[in-house]
Amino acid sequence: MTETVSTTIDLIRHGEPEGGRKYRGHSDDPLCERGWTQMRQAVGEHRPWDAVLSSPLRRCCDFARGLAERHALPLEIDARWMELGFGEWEGLTAAEIMATDPERLARFWADPIRHAPPGGERLETFRERVVGAWNDLLARHAGRHVLIVAHAGTIRMVTSHALDMPLASLFRLHVPYAGITRVRVDASGADLFPRLMFHAGTL
């Protein structure tokens, strides 16, 4: 009989960055003070993890690095955990885009697969890199409990992949600042059985 190996992955979205809500994508804004407070309150003194993984963008890796150092945990920075690239929309709020390009924004909201932001990353490309990072994690950290510090889009992609959701439904998942999602993956040989334990919750 093949032994079942269980891997637990917690994903936490970064807190509020400087500049507030906007299409930030690959822009590298740091956390504001409120954002730091959100992250500290979300994690507290918990340390069930064997390793911390993070996007290289400051709103994620600044916190991830401090957490890993405080608890003497290994830290892995991987660009594949970065947010979806929003191209020309980066740094703009939805209201600002609506004022200048309302039709294109409406098409993106209605059909994000066919209508990427101008100069932005296609959803299929985003899925390929995030799922690639996810598969590598499962191979290298099998049987462990790891934390990923990442972005709303990244967490949506992992969650939708685990649940085998249609890609077009990606943005139906709400991911709040400092919200935590837990996925457990039971592996029996080559067969993987992912389960969503909770979403957008707390420890």
Side-chain angles (χ1 to χ4, degrees), residues 76-96:
E76 299 176 13
I77 305 295
D78 190 334
R80 293 178 297 176
W81 298 119
M82 287 171 63
E83 179 62 281
L84 175 71
F86 287 105
E88 295 176 16
W89 290 351
E90 295 204 356
L92 300 177
T93 66
E96 288 170 334

Side-chain angles (χ1 to χ4, degrees), residues 102-115 167-169 171-172:
E103 292 184 4
R104 192 153 194 170
L105 183 59
R107 289 196 299 268
F108 172 70
W109 284 343
D111 187 356
I113 297 176
R114 294 178 57 196
H115 300 286
L167 188 58
S169 301
F171 293 102
R172 296 184 184 183

Side-chain angles (χ1 to χ4, degrees), residues 52-57 60-61 64-65 75-81:
V52 179
L53 287 66
S54 179
S55 159
L57 297 176
C60 296
C61 71
R65 185 171 289 109
L75 173 66
E76 299 176 13
I77 305 295
D78 190 334
R80 293 178 297 176
W81 298 119

Side-chain angles (χ1 to χ4, degrees), residues 1-193:
M1 179 178 292
T2 303
E3 179 185 4
T4 298
V5 177
S6 296
T7 306
T8 301
I9 304 95
D10 292 340
L11 304 103
I12 184 170
R13 184 187 179 190
H14 60 78
E16 183 178 335
E18 291 183 0
R21 293 185 180 274
K22 61 178 69 174
Y23 283 94
R24 193 164 268 104
H26 295 175
S27 300
D28 202 12
D29 297 332
L31 294 175
C32 67
E33 281 304 314
R34 182 180 179 188
W36 278 105
T37 298
Q38 290 166 337
M39 296 297 280
R40 291 172 181 135
Q41 290 178 343
V43 172
E45 290 304 314
H46 292 278
R47 61 138 299 165
W49 308 290
D50 299 302
V52 179
L53 287 66
S54 179
S55 159
L57 297 176
R58 289 187 58 194
R59 57 191 184 271
C60 296
C61 71
D62 285 354
F63 177 80
R65 185 171 289 109
L67 180 69
E69 290 176 354
R70 186 165 73 253
H71 296 301
L73 297 172
L75 173 66
E76 299 176 13
I77 305 295
D78 190 334
R80 293 178 297 176
W81 298 119
M82 287 171 63
E83 179 62 281
L84 175 71
F86 287 105
E88 295 176 16
W89 290 351
E90 295 204 356
L92 300 177
T93 66
E96 288 170 334
I97 300 168
M98 187 65 73
T100 59
D101 200 359
E103 292 184 4
R104 192 153 194 170
L105 183 59
R107 289 196 299 268
F108 172 70
W109 284 343
D111 187 356
I113 297 176
R114 294 178 57 196
H115 300 286
E121 186 175 16
R122 295 187 62 81
L123 216 52
E124 295 95 332
T125 304
F126 180 50
R127 175 174 60 187
E128 183 177 348
R129 69 170 166 88
V130 172
V131 171
W134 176 254
N135 290 337
D136 285 351
L137 179 159
L138 294 177
R140 292 186 299 103
H141 293 284
R144 306 177 82 193
H145 188 171
V146 301
L147 174 69
I148 305 172
V149 185
H151 310 269
T154 310
I155 295 170
R156 289 185 182 108
M157 187 59 75
V158 168
T159 304
S160 66
H161 174 69
L163 297 179
D164 199 22
M165 290 172 51
L167 188 58
S169 301
L170 187 73
F171 293 102
R172 296 184 184 183
L173 290 168
H174 174 63
V175 184
Y177 287 137
I180 299 173
T181 295
R182 176 170 291 173
V183 177
R184 176 176 167 177
V185 181
D186 295 330
S188 180
D191 296 323
L192 300 178
F193 303 93

